[in-house]
Amino acid sequence: MNRAFRAVPSVEEPVVGVRPVRTERTAREELLAMQRRLVEKIRREIAGLVRREAPGLGPSLAEFARRTARYDRISTRDELVDEVASAGVAYVGDFHTLRQAQQTPVRLLHEVLARPPFARGERRAWLALEMVRARDQAHVDRYLRGELSDEGFLRATRWAESWGFHWPSCRIVLDFARRRGVPVMALNTEPARGARDPMEARERSAAGRIAAWCETNPQDLLVALFGELHVPEGRLPRLVAEALARRGRERRAVVVYQNVDRLYWQLAGEGLEHIVDVLRLRDGAFCVLNATPLAKLQSHLSWLERTGSPERFLPWYEDGSDDVDLAELVADFARAIASFLGIRAPRLDGLEVLKADDLEALRRAVPPALLPEAELALGTTGSAFLPEAGAILFASYSMNHAAEEAARLLAAREARTCPPAPAGGEDGFYGLVWSKALGYFGSKVINHKRLCYKERDYAQYARRPDGEAGIQKIRPVARRVLSHRDAEVSFLAGAPFAQPFRAGRMDGVVRVAVAQALGHMLGDRLYDAMILEFVPKAEIRGLFRRPVSAPGAAREAYLGLVKRLQYVTEFYRSRWDRL
């Protein structure tokens, strides 16, 4: 899609002396203003926790700001993959608390390995990781060979002390390397006590290892995932180039920055933040934008509030909480979504917001009759909204899940009805689909970079071979999603809707997963329709207030919205369209 939205002034470059023509802002402009308010609120909270700047951070911040001040032109995923595939070393900037930042090198390598030189075995791709100490290289090798379990690896590397950031996000990278046979080089070191610039000392150590690798593997590609302040061209890449020059060698390098706030707001000023996810900054430098400034900062704030943060070991950190306050997060998101839609903010008195590992609180809040439903939803989707119990449950912290459940809560209270339980036959199934659609829409209000699986993705899953890991669980979901979408196509062509399956007879996990898939796709399209000014906010308010508890009402609401949105152009047609 090449459509740009009406440009709004950049937050960093306000337009002065221009008389506005319109008196009402578009939904997109309102969302940008809301995001700015939330970002500033989080910045203040972070400033209250981090009292002192880390040694050597000032020069790194200045270099990062200088190198990411502006962009040359809009790029594409394919151009970036081609640039990485033709390089000798690709430096990918990591924002350690943001899961999307660790997923980017995995997605890049997935595409790179399909390029002919790699697919034919003429070149080999390697990973180099800051998240593991160089002295733990043997443990990395054993883990990749399957000789160490997750627990064994964490103990052997003393993960909580040596790195400590969210292990599941890091495991994604190592799991990919194991599956695809990608060798991994550990890069991190501990600077000597009293080092004047600990950051540069670590960079020099990493540069020596990378330069030695380049000399030994002249035909291969190394993708190095290192902290975002280390990867500007004047930092780690320069040190590697100098080390290679001393050896009489050179290698072409590409730097991939991620989610630079300044560049995001520049795109917002041009009306492009929804449709652009790769920028070319200059020759050999790109920026991937797969998260909003709000999502990035919220991940950092949530990390600071967590027990076990590595910054607890640093003298400038002051602990403010034992854990993420999920109740406050849900309340903030519910108020923000309500304010945006122009509806009354919900009263949250008595609402229980719990993590699944708090078993005592879980048993106290959830009646025994609802526990099977709660366990089913948590195990399948990672979160659960139980309006009968006045509870929202999370398997683990997730900003997207918190925003989605906040929107589902808002819709239930606006419509003054409870979403039917997943086990409630066809009405229960479509009640869950409808609730998930509005929930996903609400999560996009908070984080418009969130991606869902689309019909094209499920078609790929349906065709994958039996031996592929996890396919036996995914394929039944994919086939039912596709059969339902086929029935929708016939319905839109004028035929009566023919129910493709009996929801009450499906396995519980499959039923919940299919309901989520259909709901998320519809909620995603509803959000696109609003941004494209196809559906006004007043109409969306009506959707949130629409009761769907009567027999057949939820299916009628779902099919009506499918018909309403049939001509809306989607911003993306597959999760793999974006990085």
Side-chain angles (χ1 to χ4, degrees), residues 359 362-363 365-378 386 393:
L359 296 178
L362 198 64
R363 293 191 185 101
V366 180
L370 295 179
L371 275 176
E373 175 192 338
E375 292 170 353
L376 178 62
L378 282 171
L386 303 175
L393 313 179

Side-chain angles (χ1 to χ4, degrees), residues 71 75 83 104 139 165-166 168 178 202-203 207 215 261 291 300-301 309 354 406 416 456 535-536 539 553 556 571:
Y71 70 92
S75 183
E83 287 287 317
T104 297
H139 301 313
F165 289 100
H166 197 219
R178 177 190 287 169
R202 292 172 58 225
E203 289 168 9
E215 192 167 23
D261 291 4
H300 184 47
L301 175 62
S309 164
L354 305 170
R416 294 182 173 81
R456 185 176 294 179
V535 174
E539 185 175 342
E556 180 183 349
F571 293 155

